[in-house]
Amino acid sequence: DDIYRDTLAEWLRDRAASMGADDLALRAAITAFEASPSVNTFQAVEELADNWENTRSELLTSLREQKPTSSHAAEVFLQEGLYDDAVDVAERSGRTSVIETVVTGVTEERPEWVVSTCKTQAEPIIEQGKHDSYETAVRWLRRAGEAAQAADRLEDWREYVETLRDEHYQKYKLRPMLEDLLEDIG
């Protein structure tokens, strides 16, 4: 059963390391990372690896091949400055929590992607008139505004939000939120 593989591997890693069985500790650390990739399990391998560059490369390759199930893989790529890999994880996962993590992590480095992604998250909420979720939509648009600022494209973003406001003027709950957003950014 794979369910406890990461826990068992972490236990073995720590036990082997405390006993000076470095090779076993390293193999267990790699297994723990592959079973449950995270910044912590990645750093644990780094602490044990003699040839970190080769080991790092192998870990990142295995991470690229995994199906992303949480934001942990994206966090490893972000920490390593591998922004395109983090974006790829966000896009492949399709999960809001993963997308949010990556958007936050690449606003300065990949602002165009952030603007586009945030619009994609906000628009269905607005189009479908999900008034209980307007705050979520506006939060996505705020992040898009921050990225537009980083990309020196604030005027385009302002026009976009003004157009949204004008198209959805009848949505009395949304309109003031968009007006506040326009005031806050830029």
Side-chain angles (χ1 to χ4, degrees):
D1 212 305
D2 243 14
I3 197 164
Y4 298 110
R5 186 170 164 220
D6 57 336
T7 308
L8 183 59
E10 285 178 33
W11 175 85
L12 180 57
R13 173 197 70 208
D14 296 343
R15 188 90 176 128
S18 72
M19 295 171 61
D22 297 343
D23 287 349
L24 180 59
L26 178 59
R27 285 199 315 270
I30 291 169
T31 300
F33 175 79
E34 289 173 346
S36 183
S38 71
V39 170
N40 288 342
T41 56
F42 188 77
Q43 289 172 336
V45 176
E46 182 178 9
E47 289 171 15
L48 294 165
D50 289 333
N51 186 346
W52 174 236
E53 279 312 305
N54 280 355
T55 306
R56 174 185 179 269
S57 177
E58 289 169 15
L59 294 180
L60 294 173
T61 298
S62 85
L63 194 55
R64 286 181 188 105
E65 293 167 356
Q66 288 186 11
K67 181 177 176 3
T69 55
S70 74
S71 59
H72 296 306
E75 289 166 0
V76 171
F77 287 129
L78 290 172
Q79 178 194 292
E80 293 298 299
L82 300 169
Y83 305 115
D84 294 333
D85 286 314
V87 165
D88 181 58
V89 167
E91 289 176 347
R92 286 190 302 128
S93 81
R95 292 179 176 211
T96 304
S97 61
V98 179
I99 293 168
E100 234 170 333
T101 297
V102 176
V103 159
T104 302
V106 302
T107 297
E108 297 287 324
E109 293 79 7
R110 301 292 181 275
E112 300 291 338
W113 178 83
V114 170
V115 170
S116 167
T117 299
C118 290
K119 286 179 180 180
T120 301
Q121 294 294 316
E123 287 169 359
I125 296 169
I126 293 169
E127 294 299 328
Q128 295 164 17
K130 295 182 175 179
H131 57 88
D132 290 345
S133 299
Y134 285 159
E135 286 178 14
T136 301
V138 170
R139 198 168 58 243
W140 283 112
L141 294 175
R142 179 177 307 282
R143 288 197 170 116
E146 292 163 358
Q149 213 162 14
D152 208 20
R153 303 282 305 267
L154 201 51
E155 204 46 50
D156 294 342
W157 175 84
R158 287 187 68 74
E159 285 176 29
Y160 170 78
V161 175
E162 287 167 357
T163 301
L164 270 181
R165 180 195 60 200
D166 297 346
E167 283 177 7
H168 299 281
Y169 69 92
Q170 76 283 11
K171 294 177 179 165
Y172 69 93
K173 188 175 176 184
L174 178 64
R175 191 174 55 244
M177 291 176 159
L178 294 176
E179 287 167 0
D180 288 347
L181 180 61
L182 286 165
E183 273 181 39
D184 291 348
I185 295 184

mmCIF file of all heavy atoms in Angstrom, residues 26-72:
data_model
loop_
_atom_site.group_PDB
_atom_site.id
_atom_site.type_symbol
_atom_site.label_atom_id
_atom_site.label_comp_id
_atom_site.label_asym_id
_atom_site.label_seq_id
_atom_site.Cartn_x
_atom_site.Cartn_y
_atom_site.Cartn_z
ATOM 1 N N LEU A 26 19.896 8.746 2.268
ATOM 2 C CA LEU A 26 19.685 9.462 1.006
ATOM 3 C C LEU A 26 18.622 8.771 0.156
ATOM 4 O O LEU A 26 17.711 9.437 -0.362
ATOM 5 C CB LEU A 26 20.998 9.591 0.225
ATOM 6 C CG LEU A 26 20.889 10.284 -1.137
ATOM 7 C CD1 LEU A 26 20.347 11.706 -0.982
ATOM 8 C CD2 LEU A 26 22.241 10.296 -1.836
ATOM 9 N N ARG A 27 18.715 7.457 0.020
ATOM 10 C CA ARG A 27 17.704 6.730 -0.768
ATOM 11 C C ARG A 27 16.313 6.916 -0.159
ATOM 12 O O ARG A 27 15.337 7.106 -0.881
ATOM 13 C CB ARG A 27 18.066 5.242 -0.860
ATOM 14 C CG ARG A 27 19.209 4.985 -1.839
ATOM 15 C CD ARG A 27 19.288 3.532 -2.305
ATOM 16 N NE ARG A 27 19.146 2.531 -1.268
ATOM 17 C CZ ARG A 27 20.162 2.016 -0.565
ATOM 18 N NH1 ARG A 27 21.391 2.414 -0.794
ATOM 19 N NH2 ARG A 27 19.942 1.097 0.337
ATOM 20 N N ALA A 28 16.231 6.865 1.156
ATOM 21 C CA ALA A 28 14.935 7.061 1.826
ATOM 22 C C ALA A 28 14.435 8.493 1.616
ATOM 23 O O ALA A 28 13.240 8.717 1.410
ATOM 24 C CB ALA A 28 15.052 6.743 3.309
ATOM 25 N N ALA A 29 15.335 9.466 1.658
ATOM 26 C CA ALA A 29 14.949 10.865 1.453
ATOM 27 C C ALA A 29 14.413 11.075 0.042
ATOM 28 O O ALA A 29 13.405 11.774 -0.158
ATOM 29 C CB ALA A 29 16.143 11.787 1.712
ATOM 30 N N ILE A 30 15.055 10.464 -0.946
ATOM 31 C CA ILE A 30 14.592 10.567 -2.336
ATOM 32 C C ILE A 30 13.224 9.915 -2.475
ATOM 33 O O ILE A 30 12.319 10.469 -3.103
ATOM 34 C CB ILE A 30 15.626 9.946 -3.307
ATOM 35 C CG1 ILE A 30 16.882 10.833 -3.336
ATOM 36 C CG2 ILE A 30 15.031 9.764 -4.707
ATOM 37 C CD1 ILE A 30 18.076 10.211 -4.044
ATOM 38 N N THR A 31 13.052 8.761 -1.866
ATOM 39 C CA THR A 31 11.753 8.072 -1.899
ATOM 40 C C THR A 31 10.676 8.937 -1.246
ATOM 41 O O THR A 31 9.560 9.055 -1.774
ATOM 42 C CB THR A 31 11.844 6.701 -1.192
ATOM 43 O OG1 THR A 31 12.823 5.912 -1.874
ATOM 44 C CG2 THR A 31 10.506 5.983 -1.190
ATOM 45 N N ALA A 32 11.001 9.549 -0.117
ATOM 46 C CA ALA A 32 10.039 10.423 0.564
ATOM 47 C C ALA A 32 9.652 11.591 -0.322
ATOM 48 O O ALA A 32 8.478 11.964 -0.417
ATOM 49 C CB ALA A 32 10.618 10.930 1.888
ATOM 50 N N PHE A 33 10.644 12.176 -1.006
ATOM 51 C CA PHE A 33 10.359 13.302 -1.912
ATOM 52 C C PHE A 33 9.470 12.860 -3.067
ATOM 53 O O PHE A 33 8.494 13.530 -3.395
ATOM 54 C CB PHE A 33 11.654 13.912 -2.458
ATOM 55 C CG PHE A 33 11.397 14.982 -3.481
ATOM 56 C CD1 PHE A 33 11.022 16.259 -3.084
ATOM 57 C CD2 PHE A 33 11.498 14.707 -4.841
ATOM 58 C CE1 PHE A 33 10.754 17.248 -4.022
ATOM 59 C CE2 PHE A 33 11.228 15.688 -5.787
ATOM 60 C CZ PHE A 33 10.864 16.956 -5.372
ATOM 61 N N GLU A 34 9.807 11.734 -3.677
ATOM 62 C CA GLU A 34 9.027 11.276 -4.828
ATOM 63 C C GLU A 34 7.608 10.881 -4.433
ATOM 64 O O GLU A 34 6.673 11.068 -5.197
ATOM 65 C CB GLU A 34 9.746 10.129 -5.535
ATOM 66 C CG GLU A 34 10.994 10.628 -6.264
ATOM 67 C CD GLU A 34 11.867 9.531 -6.847
ATOM 68 O OE1 GLU A 34 11.682 8.337 -6.475
ATOM 69 O OE2 GLU A 34 12.750 9.862 -7.656
ATOM 70 N N ALA A 35 7.452 10.364 -3.217
ATOM 71 C CA ALA A 35 6.118 9.973 -2.743
ATOM 72 C C ALA A 35 5.288 11.187 -2.342
ATOM 73 O O ALA A 35 4.070 11.198 -2.504
ATOM 74 C CB ALA A 35 6.236 9.023 -1.553
ATOM 75 N N SER A 36 5.961 12.209 -1.827
ATOM 76 C CA SER A 36 5.246 13.397 -1.358
ATOM 77 C C SER A 36 6.137 14.627 -1.528
ATOM 78 O O SER A 36 6.745 15.106 -0.573
ATOM 79 C CB SER A 36 4.861 13.194 0.114
ATOM 80 O OG SER A 36 4.111 14.294 0.568
ATOM 81 N N PRO A 37 6.226 15.118 -2.776
ATOM 82 C CA PRO A 37 7.126 16.243 -3.034
ATOM 83 C C PRO A 37 6.704 17.501 -2.285
ATOM 84 O O PRO A 37 5.531 17.847 -2.263
ATOM 85 C CB PRO A 37 7.019 16.460 -4.544
ATOM 86 C CG PRO A 37 5.972 15.571 -5.059
ATOM 87 C CD PRO A 37 5.491 14.694 -3.950
ATOM 88 N N SER A 38 7.685 18.140 -1.666
ATOM 89 C CA SER A 38 7.452 19.412 -0.989
ATOM 90 C C SER A 38 8.798 20.088 -0.811
ATOM 91 O O SER A 38 9.850 19.478 -1.007
ATOM 92 C CB SER A 38 6.799 19.194 0.385
ATOM 93 O OG SER A 38 7.733 18.616 1.277
ATOM 94 N N VAL A 39 8.767 21.340 -0.428
ATOM 95 C CA VAL A 39 10.013 22.062 -0.170
ATOM 96 C C VAL A 39 10.788 21.355 0.942
ATOM 97 O O VAL A 39 12.003 21.185 0.859
ATOM 98 C CB VAL A 39 9.723 23.537 0.177
ATOM 99 C CG1 VAL A 39 10.967 24.243 0.683
ATOM 100 C CG2 VAL A 39 9.166 24.267 -1.042
ATOM 101 N N ASN A 40 10.093 20.890 1.974
ATOM 102 C CA ASN A 40 10.767 20.220 3.098
ATOM 103 C C ASN A 40 11.443 18.920 2.680
ATOM 104 O O ASN A 40 12.592 18.671 3.048
ATOM 105 C CB ASN A 40 9.779 19.939 4.236
ATOM 106 C CG ASN A 40 9.389 21.205 4.959
ATOM 107 O OD1 ASN A 40 10.056 22.224 4.861
ATOM 108 N ND2 ASN A 40 8.278 21.136 5.682
ATOM 109 N N THR A 41 10.725 18.076 1.914
ATOM 110 C CA THR A 41 11.335 16.805 1.516
ATOM 111 C C THR A 41 12.461 17.044 0.510
ATOM 112 O O THR A 41 13.437 16.302 0.477
ATOM 113 C CB THR A 41 10.295 15.798 0.962
ATOM 114 O OG1 THR A 41 9.578 16.390 -0.122
ATOM 115 C CG2 THR A 41 9.323 15.342 2.049
ATOM 116 N N PHE A 42 12.345 18.103 -0.286
ATOM 117 C CA PHE A 42 13.401 18.474 -1.234
ATOM 118 C C PHE A 42 14.665 18.901 -0.484
ATOM 119 O O PHE A 42 15.770 18.461 -0.781
ATOM 120 C CB PHE A 42 12.884 19.617 -2.122
ATOM 121 C CG PHE A 42 13.773 19.980 -3.276
ATOM 122 C CD1 PHE A 42 13.820 19.197 -4.417
ATOM 123 C CD2 PHE A 42 14.543 21.135 -3.246
ATOM 124 C CE1 PHE A 42 14.614 19.534 -5.496
ATOM 125 C CE2 PHE A 42 15.346 21.487 -4.322
ATOM 126 C CZ PHE A 42 15.386 20.683 -5.452
ATOM 127 N N GLN A 43 14.480 19.745 0.529
ATOM 128 C CA GLN A 43 15.618 20.217 1.325
ATOM 129 C C GLN A 43 16.259 19.082 2.118
ATOM 130 O O GLN A 43 17.474 19.079 2.326
ATOM 131 C CB GLN A 43 15.184 21.357 2.250
ATOM 132 C CG GLN A 43 14.901 22.637 1.483
ATOM 133 C CD GLN A 43 14.276 23.721 2.345
ATOM 134 O OE1 GLN A 43 13.650 23.458 3.373
ATOM 135 N NE2 GLN A 43 14.437 24.964 1.914
ATOM 136 N N ALA A 44 15.456 18.122 2.541
ATOM 137 C CA ALA A 44 16.010 16.981 3.275
ATOM 138 C C ALA A 44 16.960 16.186 2.384
ATOM 139 O O ALA A 44 18.013 15.731 2.848
ATOM 140 C CB ALA A 44 14.877 16.081 3.784
ATOM 141 N N VAL A 45 16.614 16.043 1.114
ATOM 142 C CA VAL A 45 17.511 15.354 0.180
ATOM 143 C C VAL A 45 18.785 16.188 -0.001
ATOM 144 O O VAL A 45 19.892 15.653 0.013
ATOM 145 C CB VAL A 45 16.838 15.105 -1.188
ATOM 146 C CG1 VAL A 45 17.832 14.483 -2.168
ATOM 147 C CG2 VAL A 45 15.618 14.209 -1.043
ATOM 148 N N GLU A 46 18.613 17.493 -0.141
ATOM 149 C CA GLU A 46 19.768 18.375 -0.341
ATOM 150 C C GLU A 46 20.773 18.239 0.807
ATOM 151 O O GLU A 46 21.989 18.199 0.583
ATOM 152 C CB GLU A 46 19.315 19.830 -0.463
ATOM 153 C CG GLU A 46 20.452 20.795 -0.722
ATOM 154 C CD GLU A 46 19.994 22.234 -0.895
ATOM 155 O OE1 GLU A 46 18.800 22.532 -0.648
ATOM 156 O OE2 GLU A 46 20.832 23.076 -1.255
ATOM 157 N N GLU A 47 20.264 18.136 2.017
ATOM 158 C CA GLU A 47 21.145 18.017 3.190
ATOM 159 C C GLU A 47 21.957 16.721 3.162
ATOM 160 O O GLU A 47 23.058 16.664 3.697
ATOM 161 C CB GLU A 47 20.323 18.081 4.477
ATOM 162 C CG GLU A 47 19.768 19.465 4.763
ATOM 163 C CD GLU A 47 18.776 19.469 5.916
ATOM 164 O OE1 GLU A 47 18.716 18.480 6.684
ATOM 165 O OE2 GLU A 47 18.044 20.464 6.040
ATOM 166 N N LEU A 48 21.415 15.682 2.544
ATOM 167 C CA LEU A 48 22.058 14.363 2.567
ATOM 168 C C LEU A 48 22.891 14.053 1.318
ATOM 169 O O LEU A 48 23.733 13.169 1.346
ATOM 170 C CB LEU A 48 20.990 13.276 2.743
ATOM 171 C CG LEU A 48 20.248 13.285 4.078
ATOM 172 C CD1 LEU A 48 18.997 12.421 3.993
ATOM 173 C CD2 LEU A 48 21.165 12.807 5.198
ATOM 174 N N ALA A 49 22.640 14.774 0.240
ATOM 175 C CA ALA A 49 23.272 14.437 -1.042
ATOM 176 C C ALA A 49 24.710 14.930 -1.116
ATOM 177 O O ALA A 49 24.996 16.078 -0.801
ATOM 178 C CB ALA A 49 22.453 15.024 -2.184
ATOM 179 N N ASP A 50 25.613 14.048 -1.557
ATOM 180 C CA ASP A 50 27.005 14.437 -1.790
ATOM 181 C C ASP A 50 27.121 15.219 -3.094
ATOM 182 O O ASP A 50 27.780 16.235 -3.163
ATOM 183 C CB ASP A 50 27.904 13.191 -1.889
ATOM 184 C CG ASP A 50 28.066 12.512 -0.536
ATOM 185 O OD1 ASP A 50 27.955 13.212 0.488
ATOM 186 O OD2 ASP A 50 28.284 11.288 -0.515
ATOM 187 N N ASN A 51 26.468 14.704 -4.119
ATOM 188 C CA ASN A 51 26.503 15.350 -5.428
ATOM 189 C C ASN A 51 25.146 16.009 -5.661
ATOM 190 O O ASN A 51 24.299 15.487 -6.379
ATOM 191 C CB ASN A 51 26.806 14.297 -6.503
ATOM 192 C CG ASN A 51 26.990 14.906 -7.865
ATOM 193 O OD1 ASN A 51 26.642 16.066 -8.094
ATOM 194 N ND2 ASN A 51 27.523 14.122 -8.789
ATOM 195 N N TRP A 52 24.951 17.168 -5.063
ATOM 196 C CA TRP A 52 23.640 17.810 -5.061
ATOM 197 C C TRP A 52 23.177 18.178 -6.462
ATOM 198 O O TRP A 52 22.008 18.011 -6.799
ATOM 199 C CB TRP A 52 23.634 19.036 -4.147
ATOM 200 C CG TRP A 52 22.352 19.805 -4.232
ATOM 201 C CD1 TRP A 52 22.209 21.119 -4.542
ATOM 202 C CD2 TRP A 52 21.017 19.311 -4.038
ATOM 203 N NE1 TRP A 52 20.880 21.477 -4.560
ATOM 204 C CE2 TRP A 52 20.127 20.377 -4.245
ATOM 205 C CE3 TRP A 52 20.485 18.063 -3.727
ATOM 206 C CZ2 TRP A 52 18.744 20.256 -4.138
ATOM 207 C CZ3 TRP A 52 19.093 17.928 -3.623
ATOM 208 C CH2 TRP A 52 18.253 19.016 -3.814
ATOM 209 N N GLU A 53 24.046 18.672 -7.318
ATOM 210 C CA GLU A 53 23.607 19.100 -8.657
ATOM 211 C C GLU A 53 22.977 17.956 -9.447
ATOM 212 O O GLU A 53 21.922 18.128 -10.043
ATOM 213 C CB GLU A 53 24.757 19.739 -9.444
ATOM 214 C CG GLU A 53 25.004 21.192 -9.077
ATOM 215 C CD GLU A 53 23.724 22.045 -9.039
ATOM 216 O OE1 GLU A 53 22.982 22.093 -10.048
ATOM 217 O OE2 GLU A 53 23.459 22.672 -7.988
ATOM 218 N N ASN A 54 23.608 16.790 -9.444
ATOM 219 C CA ASN A 54 23.031 15.634 -10.150
ATOM 220 C C ASN A 54 21.731 15.183 -9.494
ATOM 221 O O ASN A 54 20.741 14.906 -10.174
ATOM 222 C CB ASN A 54 24.015 14.459 -10.185
ATOM 223 C CG ASN A 54 25.053 14.623 -11.258
ATOM 224 O OD1 ASN A 54 25.001 15.556 -12.055
ATOM 225 N ND2 ASN A 54 26.011 13.718 -11.274
ATOM 226 N N THR A 55 21.753 15.086 -8.173
ATOM 227 C CA THR A 55 20.566 14.640 -7.444
ATOM 228 C C THR A 55 19.427 15.626 -7.651
ATOM 229 O O THR A 55 18.285 15.225 -7.909
ATOM 230 C CB THR A 55 20.880 14.475 -5.942
ATOM 231 O OG1 THR A 55 22.008 13.602 -5.800
ATOM 232 C CG2 THR A 55 19.698 13.906 -5.187
ATOM 233 N N ARG A 56 19.732 16.918 -7.564
ATOM 234 C CA ARG A 56 18.731 17.974 -7.764
ATOM 235 C C ARG A 56 18.097 17.822 -9.144
ATOM 236 O O ARG A 56 16.871 17.868 -9.292
ATOM 237 C CB ARG A 56 19.385 19.346 -7.631
ATOM 238 C CG ARG A 56 18.481 20.516 -7.947
ATOM 239 C CD ARG A 56 19.263 21.847 -7.904
ATOM 240 N NE ARG A 56 18.422 22.969 -8.223
ATOM 241 C CZ ARG A 56 18.245 23.450 -9.444
ATOM 242 N NH1 ARG A 56 18.857 22.888 -10.491
ATOM 243 N NH2 ARG A 56 17.445 24.494 -9.643
ATOM 244 N N SER A 57 18.934 17.642 -10.148
ATOM 245 C CA SER A 57 18.454 17.497 -11.520
ATOM 246 C C SER A 57 17.514 16.296 -11.650
ATOM 247 O O SER A 57 16.456 16.385 -12.276
ATOM 248 C CB SER A 57 19.654 17.349 -12.452
ATOM 249 O OG SER A 57 19.219 17.147 -13.760
ATOM 250 N N GLU A 58 17.876 15.174 -11.029
ATOM 251 C CA GLU A 58 17.034 13.975 -11.079
ATOM 252 C C GLU A 58 15.700 14.205 -10.361
ATOM 253 O O GLU A 58 14.644 13.773 -10.842
ATOM 254 C CB GLU A 58 17.770 12.788 -10.456
ATOM 255 C CG GLU A 58 18.916 12.289 -11.311
ATOM 256 C CD GLU A 58 19.815 11.289 -10.586
ATOM 257 O OE1 GLU A 58 19.403 10.762 -9.521
ATOM 258 O OE2 GLU A 58 20.935 11.051 -11.075
ATOM 259 N N LEU A 59 15.741 14.872 -9.209
ATOM 260 C CA LEU A 59 14.508 15.146 -8.470
ATOM 261 C C LEU A 59 13.577 16.050 -9.274
ATOM 262 O O LEU A 59 12.361 15.815 -9.330
ATOM 263 C CB LEU A 59 14.808 15.815 -7.124
ATOM 264 C CG LEU A 59 15.553 14.993 -6.079
ATOM 265 C CD1 LEU A 59 15.749 15.820 -4.814
ATOM 266 C CD2 LEU A 59 14.807 13.707 -5.758
ATOM 267 N N LEU A 60 14.128 17.083 -9.878
ATOM 268 C CA LEU A 60 13.309 18.017 -10.657
ATOM 269 C C LEU A 60 12.725 17.328 -11.885
ATOM 270 O O LEU A 60 11.564 17.572 -12.243
ATOM 271 C CB LEU A 60 14.127 19.251 -11.038
ATOM 272 C CG LEU A 60 14.547 20.128 -9.857
ATOM 273 C CD1 LEU A 60 15.489 21.234 -10.309
ATOM 274 C CD2 LEU A 60 13.338 20.706 -9.121
ATOM 275 N N THR A 61 13.500 16.437 -12.498
ATOM 276 C CA THR A 61 12.979 15.667 -13.640
ATOM 277 C C THR A 61 11.819 14.792 -13.193
ATOM 278 O O THR A 61 10.773 14.752 -13.850
ATOM 279 C CB THR A 61 14.099 14.809 -14.270
ATOM 280 O OG1 THR A 61 15.112 15.694 -14.761
ATOM 281 C CG2 THR A 61 13.568 13.959 -15.404
ATOM 282 N N SER A 62 11.963 14.115 -12.068
ATOM 283 C CA SER A 62 10.861 13.258 -11.593
ATOM 284 C C SER A 62 9.645 14.107 -11.229
ATOM 285 O O SER A 62 8.509 13.703 -11.457
ATOM 286 C CB SER A 62 11.304 12.386 -10.413
ATOM 287 O OG SER A 62 11.191 13.054 -9.191
ATOM 288 N N LEU A 63 9.889 15.292 -10.718
ATOM 289 C CA LEU A 63 8.789 16.181 -10.348
ATOM 290 C C LEU A 63 8.039 16.662 -11.589
ATOM 291 O O LEU A 63 6.810 16.755 -11.583
ATOM 292 C CB LEU A 63 9.347 17.383 -9.567
ATOM 293 C CG LEU A 63 8.364 18.249 -8.812
ATOM 294 C CD1 LEU A 63 7.522 17.420 -7.853
ATOM 295 C CD2 LEU A 63 9.110 19.336 -8.041
ATOM 296 N N ARG A 64 8.762 16.927 -12.656
ATOM 297 C CA ARG A 64 8.130 17.368 -13.916
ATOM 298 C C ARG A 64 7.234 16.274 -14.486
ATOM 299 O O ARG A 64 6.256 16.568 -15.170
ATOM 300 C CB ARG A 64 9.192 17.747 -14.950
ATOM 301 C CG ARG A 64 9.874 19.053 -14.661
ATOM 302 C CD ARG A 64 10.921 19.409 -15.725
ATOM 303 N NE ARG A 64 11.656 20.575 -15.293
ATOM 304 C CZ ARG A 64 12.907 20.552 -14.820
ATOM 305 N NH1 ARG A 64 13.573 19.415 -14.755
ATOM 306 N NH2 ARG A 64 13.489 21.668 -14.435
ATOM 307 N N GLU A 65 7.594 15.017 -14.232
ATOM 308 C CA GLU A 65 6.851 13.892 -14.806
ATOM 309 C C GLU A 65 5.630 13.496 -13.987
ATOM 310 O O GLU A 65 4.766 12.770 -14.469
ATOM 311 C CB GLU A 65 7.798 12.696 -14.969
ATOM 312 C CG GLU A 65 8.873 12.957 -16.012
ATOM 313 C CD GLU A 65 10.001 11.933 -15.988
ATOM 314 O OE1 GLU A 65 10.007 11.041 -15.106
ATOM 315 O OE2 GLU A 65 10.899 12.041 -16.850
ATOM 316 N N GLN A 66 5.563 13.968 -12.739
ATOM 317 C CA GLN A 66 4.435 13.596 -11.880
ATOM 318 C C GLN A 66 3.181 14.389 -12.243
ATOM 319 O O GLN A 66 3.261 15.523 -12.703
ATOM 320 C CB GLN A 66 4.766 13.869 -10.411
ATOM 321 C CG GLN A 66 5.766 12.912 -9.829
ATOM 322 C CD GLN A 66 5.945 13.129 -8.337
ATOM 323 O OE1 GLN A 66 5.192 13.847 -7.698
ATOM 324 N NE2 GLN A 66 6.960 12.498 -7.778
ATOM 325 N N LYS A 67 2.043 13.775 -11.982
ATOM 326 C CA LYS A 67 0.780 14.492 -12.132
ATOM 327 C C LYS A 67 0.633 15.381 -10.897
ATOM 328 O O LYS A 67 0.651 14.889 -9.777
ATOM 329 C CB LYS A 67 -0.380 13.498 -12.209
ATOM 330 C CG LYS A 67 -1.716 14.174 -12.387
ATOM 331 C CD LYS A 67 -2.827 13.160 -12.533
ATOM 332 C CE LYS A 67 -4.207 13.736 -12.625
ATOM 333 N NZ LYS A 67 -4.397 15.157 -12.628
ATOM 334 N N PRO A 68 0.499 16.690 -11.111
ATOM 335 C CA PRO A 68 0.414 17.588 -9.952
ATOM 336 C C PRO A 68 -0.913 17.429 -9.214
ATOM 337 O O PRO A 68 -1.973 17.527 -9.813
ATOM 338 C CB PRO A 68 0.534 18.984 -10.569
ATOM 339 C CG PRO A 68 0.190 18.827 -12.007
ATOM 340 C CD PRO A 68 0.450 17.404 -12.379
ATOM 341 N N THR A 69 -0.809 17.155 -7.927
ATOM 342 C CA THR A 69 -2.022 16.978 -7.128
ATOM 343 C C THR A 69 -2.163 18.046 -6.049
ATOM 344 O O THR A 69 -3.205 18.158 -5.435
ATOM 345 C CB THR A 69 -2.025 15.590 -6.454
ATOM 346 O OG1 THR A 69 -0.817 15.460 -5.689
ATOM 347 C CG2 THR A 69 -2.109 14.475 -7.488
ATOM 348 N N SER A 70 -1.090 18.794 -5.800
ATOM 349 C CA SER A 70 -1.170 19.863 -4.805
ATOM 350 C C SER A 70 -0.197 20.963 -5.201
ATOM 351 O O SER A 70 0.544 20.834 -6.174
ATOM 352 C CB SER A 70 -0.814 19.328 -3.414
ATOM 353 O OG SER A 70 0.584 19.110 -3.341
ATOM 354 N N SER A 71 -0.183 22.010 -4.423
ATOM 355 C CA SER A 71 0.697 23.139 -4.741
ATOM 356 C C SER A 71 2.140 22.877 -4.320
ATOM 357 O O SER A 71 3.029 23.655 -4.641
ATOM 358 C CB SER A 71 0.172 24.415 -4.077
ATOM 359 O OG SER A 71 0.109 24.239 -2.684
ATOM 360 N N HIS A 72 2.407 21.759 -3.640
ATOM 361 C CA HIS A 72 3.758 21.492 -3.147
ATOM 362 C C HIS A 72 4.791 21.404 -4.270
ATOM 363 O O HIS A 72 5.904 21.900 -4.128
ATOM 364 C CB HIS A 72 3.798 20.224 -2.296
ATOM 365 C CG HIS A 72 2.976 20.324 -1.050
ATOM 366 N ND1 HIS A 72 3.132 21.344 -0.141
ATOM 367 C CD2 HIS A 72 1.978 19.547 -0.576
ATOM 368 C CE1 HIS A 72 2.272 21.178 0.847
ATOM 369 N NE2 HIS A 72 1.561 20.096 0.602
#
